[in-house]
């Protein structure tokens, strides 16, 4: 099954490269945060006929780990303009291509690259309780084999050392990869306000929509309406809302660790109020 999928991806990318100039570029991106419901939102939006997903897979990861391929490689992942035009005529609206790569929010160069290559793009960011996010990310990386430390508290103790010098390396060597920056930033990736503040001067506040993922899962129709309004896309009915990529935590967060993390994140959570328009749901 995996071999078949890899072959299909290879053929699709090969065909896409030959026709890249005839393909659309994305009008919006779901840029993160990791383990915050990005896959669930992506799949809900992909059911809208005017929202065009990449061919065969959710995230292209061009602006973080594949930028060396060049813009034509990226464009090859999206639908042909002629097909998009037909869709627009059928449904009476402007079709918008999109993708979802949660590492874009955290990668130090992704925002600059996005602003340069997609100057009119809009960004959607989901945030959740950063303590829960850290636990979920650890379980996720452990299950995928990218983490070897089975205890969250020890993985967090290792985080500062693992990430030491990572941003300097990624900025100094633009095509470099850093395993721990991508897979072991359990606390750092939960400082959402720092990442949003870095994007704001590059993208513009009016082209960024920040959503509380807890609200999305509790009241998906209301959040879906807000997203369509932000994108300027007509409402054509509600999709099927499902929660994807959920992963049970291997064990509860130790009380002392949970309290310490909640105190650590408090000032960062407070700065989210201006992005969400209200206090984060996990702080109420």
């Amino acid at each position: 099954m995996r071999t078949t999928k890899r072959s299909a991806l290879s053929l699709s990318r090969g065909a896409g490269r030959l026709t890249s100039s005839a393909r659309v570029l994305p009008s919006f991106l779901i840029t993160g945060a990791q383990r915050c419901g990005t896959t669930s939102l992506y799949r809900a939006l992909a059911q809208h006929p005017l929202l065009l997903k990449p061919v065969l897979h959710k995230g292209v990861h061009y602006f973080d780990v594949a930028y060396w391929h060049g813009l034509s490689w990226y464009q090859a992942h999206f639908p042909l303009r002629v097909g998009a035009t037909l869709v627009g005529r059928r449904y009476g609206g402007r079709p918008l291509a999109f993708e979802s790569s949660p590492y874009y929010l955290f990668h130090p160069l992704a925002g600059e690259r996005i602003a340069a290559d997609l100057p009119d793009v809009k960004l959607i960011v989901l945030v959740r309780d950063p303590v829960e996010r850290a636990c979920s990310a650890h379980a996720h990386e452990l299950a995928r084999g990218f983490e070897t430390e089975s205890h969250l508290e020890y993985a967090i103790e290792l985080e500062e050392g693992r990430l030491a010098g990572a941003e300097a390396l990624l900025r100094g060597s633009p095509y470099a990869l850093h395993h721990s920056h991508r897979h072991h930033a359990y606390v750092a990736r939960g400082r959402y306000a720092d990442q949003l503040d870095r994007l704001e001067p590059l993208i513009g506040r009016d082209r960024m929509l920040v959503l509380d993922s807890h609200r999305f899962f509790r009241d998906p129709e209301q959040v879906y309406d807000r997203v369509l309004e932000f994108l300027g896309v007509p409402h054509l009915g509600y999709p099927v809302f499902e929660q994807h990529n959920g992963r049970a935590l291997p064990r509860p967060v130790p009380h002392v660790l949970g309290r310490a993390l909640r105190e650590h994140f408090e000032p960062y959570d407070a700065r989210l109020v201006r992005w969400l328009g209200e206090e984060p749901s996990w702080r109420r």
Side-chain angles (χ1 to χ4, degrees), residues 65 67-69 109 113 170 173-177:
V65 301
Y67 198 63
W68 59 275
H69 281 295
L109 293 178
R113 294 166 172 173
L170 293 171
S173 302
Y175 301 145
L177 304 177

Side-chain angles (χ1 to χ4, degrees), residues 54-215:
V55 179
L56 296 180
H57 56 118
K58 164 197 167 193
V60 182
H61 284 285
Y62 172 61
F63 295 106
D64 46 29
V65 301
Y67 198 63
W68 59 275
H69 281 295
L71 190 61
S72 63
W73 177 89
Y74 184 55
Q75 195 164 357
H77 289 75
F78 296 95
L80 292 163
R81 276 198 296 271
V82 63
T85 299
L86 292 174
V87 168
R89 288 175 182 170
R90 179 177 179 182
Y91 292 98
R94 176 173 169 250
L96 305 178
F98 76 108
E99 59 130 333
S100 174
S101 298
Y103 190 34
Y104 287 167
L105 182 66
F106 190 59
H107 193 283
L109 293 178
E112 298 169 18
R113 294 166 172 173
I114 291 169
D117 290 346
L118 304 174
D120 298 317
V121 77
K122 292 183 176 181
L123 304 184
I124 298 175
V125 176
L126 292 98
V127 295
R128 70 184 283 194
D129 182 335
V131 179
E132 289 185 6
R133 195 219 72 83
C135 301
S136 178
H138 177 257
H140 183 64
E141 302 296 356
L142 196 63
R144 294 199 298 167
F146 294 133
E147 175 60 84
T148 57
E149 178 49 68
S150 60
H151 294 278
L152 174 62
E153 53 268 50
Y154 298 142
I156 287 176
E157 286 181 12
L158 293 172
E159 180 174 334
E160 185 176 354
R162 284 171 158 180
L163 268 59
E167 288 217 6
L169 170 68
L170 293 171
R171 287 190 175 278
S173 302
Y175 301 145
L177 304 177
H178 194 287
H179 179 81
S180 285
H181 190 269
R182 187 174 182 183
H183 298 292
H184 299 150
Y186 306 117
V187 176
R189 288 179 79 154
R191 300 176 188 128
Y192 310 122
D194 283 355
Q195 298 158 65
L196 293 168
D197 289 350
R198 178 171 61 197
L199 285 174
E200 184 175 11
L202 299 168
I203 305 299
R205 179 67 185 87
D206 61 330
R207 288 192 286 119
M208 297 171 61
L209 177 65
V210 182
L211 303 169
D212 187 322
S213 68
H214 300 276
R215 181 180 291 277

Side-chain angles (χ1 to χ4, degrees), residues 226-244:
R226 189 177 173 196
V227 171
L228 294 192
E229 181 181 4
F230 171 68
L231 298 174
V233 175
H235 204 299
L236 300 176
Y238 289 110
V240 175
F241 294 106
E242 297 177 337
Q243 188 166 348
H244 295 274

